[in-house]
Amino acid sequence: MRRFPRRVLALCLALVTALLMSACASIPESGAPKKLRPGGGTGQGSEAAQPERGLTPLGLVRNFVKASADSEQLHAAARLYLTEQASRSWDDRSLHRVIADDFDTIPRPVLSPNGEPKPNEQIVVLRGTQFGRVDFDASFVPETKSIETELRVEKQANGDWRIADPPQGVVVTFANFKENYKQVRVYFSDPNHRTVVPDLRYVPMRPARAVPDKVLDALLLGPSAALRGSVTSVIPQNTALASNVSESADGALQVNLGKLGDKTTPDRRVIAAQVVLSLRQVTNSRIKLFADGQPLVQDKLEWRPADVATFEAHLGPSPELAGMYVVGGKLRSLKDESLVAAAGDLGVVSAAQSKQGDLLAVVARQSGGVQLRVGPTNGPLREVSLRQSATLTRPTWMPDAPEMWTVLDQSTVVRVVDSTGRGTWSSARVNADELTRFGAITELRLSRDGLRVAAIAGGRLVVGTVAEQGGERSVRAAQVLGFNRLSNPVAVEWPLPDALIVATTNPTTPVAKIGVDGLVVEPYLSSNLTPPVHAIAAAPSRPVVVSDSGGLWKVTESSEVWQPLPFNPGPNAVPFYPG
């Protein structure tokens, strides 16, 4: 885990202002990278619009919340709704809360000592639902709860009302946050420095020319709290931008890292992957990478995403692996309904195929409960020694290891591993206290890069990080996602490392996609579906397949109408892709 000394913490606090609450320094349009001007970071945006004349206290507060989404020049637009003294003292860096769009403003009088309302003062209570907060590193932390904040407003000499006692930090609605902030992926390294891993961040979209700086500021601050301990950054923690991100005369984007230190060429190539892929969503330009004014990698100056594509993990199953489904105690192919012989007459409850397609795990009925069988896809499947259990969750595989996880009796998470490579499977308990504290676990899915886990625990969607220490696995940093916006989840799957597809019993939103940080929920159309939906299959570059009371349906995009599969196995099928 990265620890921040005081010197670096001071740098972080300085960067917060530039990253979330202000615009970055002006960027030269051409020429070699130039040194950042001292004290840069407030940006040069357009002049903020003055509030409307004659606003009521309630209208003033509502417009203040709307203006707070504009972070340019230290939230200059929002400060215009404050008294002069409050504008000077308002700390817009301490907290950044995202709330639901339908918040309330409620008036309350300010009473004089004799109990009479003061005509020139009023309290406005801002009441709503908080979805979460934006952390100092521009990551979103889900934190759903009701909020109630009092703002004191005063009538000015010209008759207009202004806020004299603003809330701590910034409060912004979800809709206005989406309008003013861009979701980006910054990339860190797996512990072995073989692949890079995306980490979601949110940076202000204005001024547009400063967005690359903000993305790199987020990258240089290191992994978000949710991923620390599972990923790392090859970029040293004291590294900073030695110059403004700028555009060269030939149209390339120039990035100059300072204080990189003595790094090997392989490490510098990983750093190039981190930078280039992080900037991929905000520029189409070639990128020239420098370290203290010299090329980052001696034999290569210009980079494009294709030059670092080998560092992106290939997470999806092979095209020839069609997937399978369980129905009526049988295991069949999603391609042509053919029976999977290895499962035979086991009385299959659920199953999972490894990403490579060579291994199969089957939960089968037995007297008094269920049993787990694992082995090659073409058989035979051997029983794994587990304590007798009434239920086991559908197995889920690690991407590149003979290891799968399941949950015994909705309470004990175990990993089943072939440590010898000879088909001898043993089990060990996973420390999943952070999941079980939410309640009974009815679904558990490892992400396709093996770094995260999603569960339905206590009837809620929970996501955590997979950590390993001393050969033991644990789940940490578990957080509830989509609370109050994604009710009654029943199934979950990972199409991407930073997104999930969820099935719910809600007839208006039977299927939805949700980011791994829980901020953005994207409903799928419900056309043609017959709720309830009870199972999902999802994988990179594959259609999403769901099972409802009418059969199996598929789509490739959330805006599409669901189409039936060529065959109809009935209402109880459980489809899955390898992984």
Side-chain angles (χ1 to χ4, degrees):
M1 182 180 292
R2 296 165 69 103
R3 299 187 181 275
F4 295 97
R6 292 182 179 177
R7 178 167 55 90
V8 177
L9 184 58
L11 171 63
C12 293
L13 292 175
L15 286 172
V16 173
T17 303
L19 178 60
L20 289 175
M21 313 308 173
S22 69
C24 288
S26 169
I27 303 175
E29 294 184 355
S30 62
K34 298 177 182 178
K35 201 167 184 66
L36 288 163
R37 63 174 191 264
T42 59
Q44 299 296 323
S46 57
E47 185 175 348
Q50 292 287 333
E52 297 176 34
R53 295 296 309 273
L55 283 173
T56 66
L58 300 186
L60 179 80
V61 169
R62 298 191 75 87
N63 285 10
F64 167 72
V65 172
K66 181 177 181 179
S68 295
D70 183 355
S71 66
E72 284 198 74
Q73 302 181 67
L74 299 176
H75 291 88
R79 291 181 189 275
L80 294 175
Y81 289 82
L82 309 179
T83 64
E84 288 187 12
Q85 181 178 349
S87 177
R88 290 192 297 269
S89 61
W90 182 43
D91 181 5
D92 62 344
R93 298 170 296 174
S94 58
L95 189 64
H96 201 100
R97 292 176 285 179
V98 181
I99 65 172
D101 298 333
D102 55 343
F103 66 93
D104 297 319
T105 47
I106 304 163
R108 286 182 186 168
V110 177
L111 301 180
S112 63
N114 62 6
E116 294 292 323
K118 292 185 177 181
N120 296 325
E121 291 185 49
Q122 194 169 49
I123 295 294
V124 177
V125 180
L126 189 158
R127 182 184 295 165
T129 300
Q130 177 178 310
F131 290 160
R133 57 184 169 81
V134 180
D135 216 340
F136 74 93
D137 58 3
S139 64
F140 179 79
V141 180
E143 199 174 62
T144 304
K145 60 183 180 182
S146 298
I147 63 166
E148 186 171 298
T149 301
E150 292 187 355
L151 294 81
R152 185 170 58 86
V153 299
E154 295 178 350
K155 184 175 285 188
Q156 306 301 292
N158 66 354
D160 285 336
W161 292 90
R162 290 295 181 264
I163 299 169
D165 187 12
Q168 179 189 8
V170 173
V171 178
V172 59
T173 65
F174 177 56
N176 289 332
F177 185 80
K178 286 197 300 181
E179 290 175 4
N180 289 272
Y181 285 74
K182 181 178 180 63
Q183 183 191 80
V184 297
R185 294 172 176 86
V186 295
Y187 285 81
F188 300 99
S189 172
D190 77 287
N192 298 315
H193 298 174
R194 293 178 301 184
T195 60
V196 291
V197 179
D199 200 0
L200 295 180
R201 303 299 169 89
Y202 299 85
V203 297
M205 288 191 285
R206 288 188 297 272
R209 60 185 181 180
V211 172
D213 288 84
K214 300 168 190 175
V215 172
L216 293 179
D217 285 342
L219 173 65
L220 295 176
L221 284 173
S224 63
L227 278 180
R228 282 180 217 147
S230 295
V231 300
T232 185
S233 181
V234 183
I235 304 172
Q237 62 183 20
N238 63 340
T239 299
L241 288 174
S243 24
N244 294 326
V245 176
S246 60
E247 185 177 307
S248 62
D250 60 359
L253 205 65
Q254 299 183 133
V255 175
N256 187 18
L257 301 174
K259 299 181 181 179
L260 193 61
D262 187 17
K263 287 290 182 179
T264 66
T265 297
D267 279 352
R268 286 171 178 260
R269 292 187 179 277
V270 178
I271 292 171
Q274 288 187 244
V275 173
V276 173
L277 294 177
S278 296
L279 290 174
R280 177 170 53 185
Q281 293 171 90
V282 299
T283 183
N284 293 319
S285 301
R286 293 165 290 118
I287 298 174
K288 294 181 179 180
L289 294 181
F290 299 88
D292 292 312
Q294 300 299 314
L296 173 66
V297 177
Q298 287 301 315
D299 60 351
K300 187 171 181 61
L301 177 59
E302 294 188 357
W303 299 78
R304 289 187 179 277
D307 298 322
V308 292
T310 55
F311 289 98
E312 290 192 274
H314 299 286
L315 303 174
S318 300
E320 64 269 15
L321 299 174
M324 302 177 184
Y325 68 95
V326 175
V327 67
K330 302 292 185 182
L331 185 58
R332 296 181 179 273
S333 168
L334 268 177
K335 180 179 180 181
D336 55 15
E337 299 182 272
S338 60
L339 283 168
V340 178
D345 297 320
L346 291 176
V348 180
V349 177
S350 65
Q353 188 180 24
S354 65
K355 173 189 164 186
Q356 296 77 12
D358 56 334
L359 295 172
L360 191 64
V362 168
V363 176
R365 294 184 183 89
Q366 70 172 6
S367 177
V370 291
Q371 62 179 209
L372 177 67
R373 289 181 172 269
V374 185
T377 299
N378 57 5
L381 305 179
R382 298 178 179 176
E383 184 177 356
V384 178
S385 178
L386 297 172
R387 77 158 196 255
Q388 186 172 0
S389 303
T391 63
L392 293 172
T393 57
R394 185 163 63 97
T396 178
W397 288 93
M398 277 289 177
D400 297 310
E403 176 180 344
M404 48 78 55
W405 291 22
T406 186
V407 184
L408 286 63
D409 292 326
Q410 302 183 348
S411 61
T412 304
V413 180
V414 297
R415 55 191 291 249
V416 178
V417 183
D418 178 9
S419 56
T420 64
R422 299 170 184 165
T424 303
W425 297 86
S426 60
S427 65
R429 182 179 177 275
V430 175
N431 181 354
D433 293 346
E434 291 226 10
L435 289 181
T436 56
R437 66 187 173 96
F438 292 105
I441 301 173
T442 56
E443 183 93 345
L444 184 81
R445 309 306 301 159
L446 289 165
S447 63
R448 292 190 170 272
D449 56 11
L451 296 175
R452 289 185 170 104
V453 63
I456 296 175
R460 291 175 286 181
L461 176 63
V462 182
V463 169
T465 303
V466 177
E468 182 174 3
Q469 186 172 14
E472 295 185 356
R473 302 268 193 183
S474 63
V475 177
R476 56 174 295 275
Q479 298 170 322
V480 175
L481 303 189
F483 189 61
N484 288 345
R485 293 189 294 156
L486 203 60
S487 58
N488 303 318
V490 293
V492 61
E493 193 53 273
W494 295 88
L496 296 169
D498 55 10
L500 304 111
I501 305 291
V502 185
T504 80
T505 59
N506 185 345
T508 60
T509 312
V511 183
K513 182 179 180 180
I514 183 170
V516 73
D517 60 6
L519 179 60
V520 178
V521 178
E522 178 185 338
Y524 279 65
L525 294 180
S526 57
S527 302
N528 289 353
L529 294 182
T530 307
V533 174
H534 65 88
I536 289 176
S541 304
R542 296 290 185 96
V544 174
V545 178
V546 301
S547 179
D548 69 358
S549 58
L552 293 178
W553 303 81
K554 66 178 181 179
V555 292
T556 55
E557 299 290 341
S558 62
S559 57
E560 295 178 351
V561 174
W562 293 90
Q563 300 295 324
L565 266 63
F567 50 86
N568 186 355
N572 298 312
V574 179
F576 60 89
Y577 290 122

